[in-house]
Amino acid sequence: MSSSSDLVRFVESVLGVSLGGSVTDSMLMIATTSFAVILGLLFFLWKKSASERSRDVKPLVAPKPVSLKDDEDDDATVSSGKTKVTIFYGTQTGTAEGFAKALAEEIKARYEKAAVKVVDMDDYAVDDEQYEEKLKKETLALFLVATYGDGEPTDNAARFYKWFTEGNEREPWLQKLAYGVFGLGNRQYEHFNKIAKVLDEQLSQQGAKRLIEVGLGDDDQCIEDDFAAWRELLWPELDQLLRDEDDENTASTPYTATIPEYRVVIHDHAAMHVEDNYSNRENGKASYDIHHPCRVNVVAQRELHKPESDRSCIHLEFDISGTGITYETGDHVGVYAETCMETVGEAARLLGQSLDLLFSIHTDNDDGTPIGSSLPPPFPGPCTLRTALAQYADVLNPPRKAALIALAAHATEPSEAERLKFLSSPQGKDEYSQWVVGSQRSLLEVMDEFPSAKPPLGVFFAAVAPHLQPRYYSISSSPRYAPNRVHVTCALVYGPTPTGRIHRGVCSTWMKNAVPLEKSNDCSWAPIFIRQSNFKLPADPSIPIIMIGPGTGLAPFRGFLQERMVLNEDGAQLGPSLFFFGCRNRRMDFIYEDELNNFVDQGALSELIIAFSREGPQKEYVQHKMMDKATYLWSLLSKGGYLYVCGDAKGMARDVHRTLHTIVQEQESVDSSKAESIVKKLQMEGRYLRDVW
């Protein structure tokens, strides 16, 4: 300022008042100094508040955006005279997604009037409030949904399913919607296709029009045949809705699905530096999931069976310190393991390719246009064929019929091509069921039988070998006891198949051979993520609990008991607890024996009841021990206790369920129907929980 009068005018303009003409220099100095102090104080308070806020705020994961363009496209579809067809999929292993994309391609080919969109159920809406608004706009929807675990929705369908089934107090509101549901399940499990059945029933109750009876795919047989049969019933219904009289693509026009193929780019080793696809992921990411696992080291590994055992069970610990990964007692860990090098080498030989070949796969053409919507998401690259086969290709499961079709297209020997086509055809259904599924022939075994079928890598990874899926394990530790480690208890999968091949489980073999940090700095590592579970201890530790888990079914209960031990040390009042454990022989496979006895000694476990199936003259299992304790067991449940079952769904869990039914019937002196309703009530109240596979 050149003079005090200029300064006065500046202060007047800032304060928005007139100071008059009698302002002295000293008064002006006091005013400006006070103003500066006030400004400084306000700035300090703002910074302090912002700093405290930044300390309190947890890192957030950006939700998947729902594009405004989607809604604009929908409006454009309607205005263009086309009919929107939305195909939703809920998938755990990728099968439902593959079916959804194949169905979309065929609908596009059959009906010019159809505008088809394939939707991952997890991506349909950012939050629950948007579900109703978006679903009201749908007029034709097909749902392809798998049932997973103990009658649960898949991870990507869980949020939608919970919202839709729990909001059934609404009046019918979907009268504009025509729909069809196809379920993917396995008849060996108690809740066969539960999710598809419930979704179909709820859609109908909400006013939607059922186009076709719910399809019940059975993966214990040939789920592709089940899907094909359901699809054939769907076409006449879609003809009514989507076919114009002058439509060139008549119903009699045969449709041949194109074989998916990635664009492959071969790279020069000398010109590129290749890192593994997990090494550069930053620790501290706010959230890890199936699509974004976190690389962690194996810090401990030991054999749990005694030397006399002819089987193997591994205890393994992952180090999660510094990663931001957290878990709760009873959660699951998903592990991406590598296929063993012997199998990888065999796969490369059958493909006629070098393991050191460096390549990348792409879902677009050279000019950037998409190749097709039926391709599964590509794996990251560039990488060597060795890495691709070890980390991303499932080559040990029996191939699906679509894989046989792709192999047939690239078989140079005509007789081999014809045989592959026959196995994948409706006429070859019985032989496929017996020769492939019944004999448990792996993809590699099938390729070995047809040596002239050497598909290019783009076809092999897109259409022949499914993506290798993570293996899930019930975490066998508690974060209260081991906050920086995730413990896994894993039985080795190893044994002959009907063809004489020795089948080695991918993940259990990897764990068996894993080198822990405590033995070598060059230790084994794996990408992992946590999947939340409802298999939780009661919030009140004084509530009685009954745990039933033979073999590796012990895993989550080891975490439960670790947690109870810490709670006990902290002075919590623990309620009664029973653990029914089963194994063959105490000298062979009584895993964690010392720990279990210590839990009893420390007061974390009231009573340990063990069934040894190979020690006495007769086989004895956990359900027999339950009957021995029937009166006490039912008294605990009658007092509000919780019952937990973990292990094999097809055998043990069914037997335990029947035994519980018998106990209720006898203890309550009721008939079978009433006993079943009492058991169902326990399940509905969340006091009968199962973690089964």
Side-chain angles (χ1 to χ4, degrees), residues 312-323:
S312 174
C313 186
I314 300 300
H315 171 87
L316 185 136
E317 299 178 18
F318 290 113
D319 180 11
I320 59 170
S321 57
T323 64

Side-chain angles (χ1 to χ4, degrees), residues 294 296-302 314-321 323-335 471-490 510-511 526-531 555 558-559 562 592:
C294 178
V296 296
N297 288 333
V298 174
V299 286
Q301 185 256 29
R302 70 177 188 272
I314 300 300
H315 171 87
L316 185 136
E317 299 178 18
F318 290 113
D319 180 11
I320 59 170
S321 57
T323 64
I325 289 178
T326 59
Y327 71 98
E328 293 181 11
T329 309
D331 281 348
H332 302 146
V333 59
V335 181
R471 270 47 173 183
Y472 293 98
Y473 297 91
S474 302
I475 297 175
S476 59
S477 56
S478 165
R480 286 178 181 264
Y481 180 83
N484 295 319
R485 295 193 178 186
V486 167
H487 295 191
V488 173
T489 306
C490 170
W510 178 85
M511 289 186 178
I528 71 165
F529 59 96
I530 303 299
R531 188 177 69 184
R558 181 172 179 265
Q562 285 180 354
Y592 300 115

Side-chain angles (χ1 to χ4, degrees), residues 295 392 433 532 538 556 573 581 641 682:
R295 172 177 169 157
Y392 305 119
S433 179
Q532 293 181 333
Q573 184 68 40
F581 175 67
L682 284 173

